[in-house]
Amino acid sequence: GLLRDKYHCENLIGRSESMQRVFRMIRQVARSKATVLLQGKSGTGKELVARAIHFNSPAAAGPMITVDCGAITPTVIESELFGHVKGAFTGAHQAKEGLFRLAHGGSLFFDEIGELPLDMQTKLLRALQEREIRPVGSDRSYPVEVRVIAATNRDLGAAVKDGKFREDLFYRLNVISINIPVLAEHQEDVPLLLAHFLKKHARAGQNIER
């Protein structure tokens, strides 16, 4: 039940049917360049799943860049994603490439995409549709080729109904959806996980029986 060596995600473990379903989905979607939306509570391993998809996709040779949508200050998100030219705003002492261009030829993982402010959702949608970005303060655009994986612990469908998330962006991201179960839904995997973490964290030469 491990996707370990081939899948670059040694902490993704499970023999339960629900985890096997996740593994099957990873194998299927990894081969394509389709956008994937990972849905699951915090701590269910969404980033591990994103890594598994990236490392088994045509974009595996490129970088995988994570955008933590909840941790970036709203005022600098545009510059973080699209970059900026020197002097674009106070404090822009040098040009910056931005995460989209750094991820060119690889994967861009938007963690907690539901935290993205509405005006930024609009700009992200445009970038995904046009496959190009314009740095803040620049008058030219740059083509970007990235595979997008997004993750959320929110119900994005409900956020759309509440007007907190753009419906067109939701459809753009929700091409393939993978629901990652919480541990309570696959308790039979607990012994496997325990054995794995005991082995991983045991000191050299130390053998923990149980």
Side-chain angles (χ1 to χ4, degrees), residues 19 73 76 89 110 192-193:
M19 284 309 287
T73 319
V76 299
F89 48 84
F110 289 90
L192 274 178
L193 280 160

Side-chain angles (χ1 to χ4, degrees), residues 23 34 36 40 88 91 95 104 110 116 133 144 149 170 172 177 187 202:
F23 296 153
V36 184
H104 187 78
F110 289 90
L116 214 54
I133 56 98
V144 280
I149 306 169
F170 175 58
R172 183 95 204 177
S177 181
Q187 288 178 343

Side-chain angles (χ1 to χ4, degrees), residues 16-165:
S16 61
E17 182 44 45
S18 59
M19 284 309 287
Q20 286 300 317
R21 197 164 56 237
V22 170
F23 296 153
R24 279 196 298 275
M25 288 287 290
I26 290 172
R27 287 188 197 101
Q28 283 166 2
V29 306
R31 296 187 202 111
S32 76
K33 285 184 175 176
T35 304
V36 184
L37 182 64
L38 307 176
Q39 304 189 75
K41 297 265 192 306
S42 294
T44 46
K46 296 188 289 291
E47 184 156 7
L48 294 173
V49 173
R51 279 183 186 289
I53 292 168
H54 168 73
F55 282 117
N56 294 281
S57 77
M64 176 176 159
I65 305 270
T66 298
V67 183
D68 189 342
C69 300
I72 306 174
T73 319
T75 50
V76 299
I77 288 182
E78 188 175 2
S79 156
E80 284 287 321
L81 285 181
F82 305 146
H84 61 250
V85 296
K86 186 177 174 180
F89 48 84
T90 312
H93 300 304
Q94 58 204 56
K96 179 178 184 160
E97 271 208 309
L99 299 176
F100 256 95
R101 281 166 76 195
L102 289 175
H104 187 78
S107 302
L108 199 50
F109 173 51
F110 289 90
D111 200 8
E112 298 312 341
I113 189 89
E115 305 292 324
L116 214 54
L118 273 168
D119 64 328
M120 203 56 225
Q121 292 175 26
T122 307
K123 288 171 181 167
L124 174 61
L125 179 66
R126 195 179 310 131
L128 297 180
Q129 281 170 340
E130 295 170 7
R131 291 184 165 191
E132 59 177 38
I133 56 98
R134 179 172 290 199
V136 179
S138 175
D139 54 4
R140 65 169 287 201
S141 296
Y142 297 86
V144 280
E145 192 55 56
V146 295
R147 193 219 177 120
V148 172
I149 306 169
T152 180
N153 62 11
R154 281 193 191 182
D155 180 341
L156 282 190
V160 167
K161 286 197 183 78
D162 296 340
K164 294 197 172 92
F165 202 84

